Amino acid sequence: MSYSRATLLKLSKCAARLNNDVRATLEQLNLLAVQPSHRPTHRGRKGGRRRSKTSHNNHDVAGQVVDGHIRNTHPSPLSTAMLGVWNAQSMKNKSTHVSDLIISHKLDILSITESWLTGDDRDDCVIADIKRTLPGYSVHSSPRLSRRGGGICVIYRSNFGTQLNKTNNYNTFEYADLCFKSGHSSFRLITVYRPPRSKRNQTSVKDFLHDFSDLLESLIAYHGRFIITGDFNIHVDVPHDQDGNSLRNLLKSAGLHQYVSVSTHRRGHTLDLLITRACDDSILSPCVVDGLPSDHSAVTCSMNIKRPAVMKHVMKFRKVGDIDLEKMKRDLESVNLIPVNSQSIDISLMVGHFNTTLINILDQHAPVCVRNITLRPHAPWFDDELRDCKRNKRRLERKWKASGLQVDKDIFFTYCSEYKQRLENAKHDHYKSIFSNRNQHQLFREIDKMTSDKSNENLPHHDSTHSLTNKFQFYFENKIQNIRDALDIAHTSPVSVLISEECQSNLSSFPQATTDMVRKVIVDSRKTSCGLDPFPIRLIIEHLDTILPAVTAIINRSFSEGIIPSNLKTALVRPLLKKSGLDPD
């Protein structure tokens, strides 16, 4: 079969549908132009050039080769969870910088070694300050109880599904073991701190490796993904260091890989590590954050795990301040707060009618508003001046990393100290302005927020509120029954009491309450409301003359029958731990 030149030239317009042999023949005959690798654009060469990212680490390949091009297979950094580890060398006076580190690098989890937390009420100020700046985050602390120093603290987003694993007691290192779950992805995070050898710590690296190998044996058998991080205080970056070689050989024999390859200490050496299975891709693009108020740098990385959704809080409220009080007063006067036939019905129905009427009127004038509030980090003292300082700090860091000169390094760390001082001063001035504009009651309320953590209820683990309520009821019923049983079997000697005079008083009935008596009790009481109240105390005081006769009638009816209505036997009970830091389970 033969083709004319015109027919062959028409094939060039549909060359994409030709097979490779026909295409090659047409190109040799100069009847088909060689197709460019990509469609030309009007952009500059720099903007239109395809760039491929490669990695110097064989265990962190950024993409895979497809059709001669490197295509990125990692998820976007905005969709992956961020992990950080930092030896803070006591976070008691560094809560501001801990929060700044999490906000600046958008960390979802931050493991802190050498937290120096004590596990008692002295930690409340630090934890409350962090949670006030970082709403939507939770704090888990594993303090060193034997002596001062040490300790591990993990700060993480509250919408992670978390589970605390049981840990063993090792003499050579401390560690915290938590499981995190986000969507269908889960992993196990083990944060390790090995104290350096000192007069009080005479354990050697050999002893540590023996204990650490015991921990690795249990981790290797774990079926899921895990990440080991923390401060090991071993120079793994020195090729001929005996301790470093021993740790590297131990990790290699366990099929693990260590990702940090640069210095993490101000004096040099790699001490803070990130370790996973060699065949795992949990850790992506690790990097070091310098210039923090510690001898150690922070190590951050993105994880091949979906970042949890932003936590939201549903807030319900009424706009009580916008109520037209005169119109509400007319509505209250136009209805019967107690039934007309109140003497012939049960007192509980009488109270129920009173509550329902007030709630209906309140719904008409101030309906319930629902608002979803996204919990985001909140640092109101971080102004434009601090933002410019942080921008200059990053510029000096880039200059130092590019030149590698000692003078640029000194300038960078000097400016980091200046930024640290400015950040603390800005926070100090912010709270100073708040305290100067508060009365005594507001001042104590603000101080209570700053010094105590009330963001978490610290309830025991439960599937539903109903099951937890029944669990509490069953516990206290058994406790009371056990006390009664112990009293029944107790052998006590009989006690005789000599009564010299008989009581002549007799209480057979309660006197009727008057409106003036009830008014005095309401006015003298604290102006607080409960979530079960049908009317806020503010509106009760405003319309006291209208509501007072109905309240007095209910009280007198209760006194005359000797019955407390079942509607008034309901309470909101919020269990509290006796001491912060205790296990709620």
Side-chain angles (χ1 to χ4, degrees), residues 87 186 197 203 210 214 216 236 276 284 367 406 432 455 476 485 499 579:
N87 186 328
S186 63
R197 191 162 186 172
T203 59
H210 179 270
D214 182 64
L216 291 182
V236 297
T276 61
L284 311 174
Q406 182 65 32
K432 183 178 179 180
S455 59
F476 284 109
D485 295 341
I499 301 176
K579 187 177 181 181

Side-chain angles (χ1 to χ4, degrees), residues 233-260:
N233 277 305
I234 296 177
H235 301 167
V236 297
D237 57 313
V238 180
H240 303 292
D241 184 78
Q242 183 178 358
D243 297 335
N245 288 332
S246 299
L247 178 59
R248 285 191 295 269
N249 293 334
L250 175 61
L251 296 179
K252 185 177 180 180
S253 64
L256 304 178
H257 177 71
Q258 198 284 118
Y259 284 81
V260 183

Side-chain angles (χ1 to χ4, degrees), residues 50-55 60-80 281 283-285 302 304:
R50 291 188 176 184
R51 285 179 279 184
S52 60
K53 295 182 179 180
T54 57
S55 174
D60 189 21
V61 182
Q64 60 181 357
V65 178
V66 179
D67 295 337
H69 298 286
I70 297 180
R71 296 182 180 178
N72 190 10
T73 58
H74 290 162
S76 170
L78 298 177
S79 63
T80 58
D281 61 346
I283 294 179
L284 311 174
S285 58
S302 60
N304 195 9

Side-chain angles (χ1 to χ4, degrees), residues 6-25:
T7 303
L8 292 175
L9 289 176
K10 288 180 181 180
L11 293 176
S12 62
K13 297 180 180 180
C14 57
R17 294 192 293 268
L18 298 176
N19 60 47
N20 294 335
D21 295 336
V22 176
R23 179 194 294 272
T25 303

Side-chain angles (χ1 to χ4, degrees), residues 9 73 108 115 123-124 135 170 250 281 320 393 396 481 495:
L9 289 176
T73 58
D108 300 288
S115 63
D123 300 340
D124 290 349
Y170 295 105
L250 175 61
D281 61 346
V320 180
K393 187 181 75 166
L396 293 175
Q481 188 62 41
V495 178

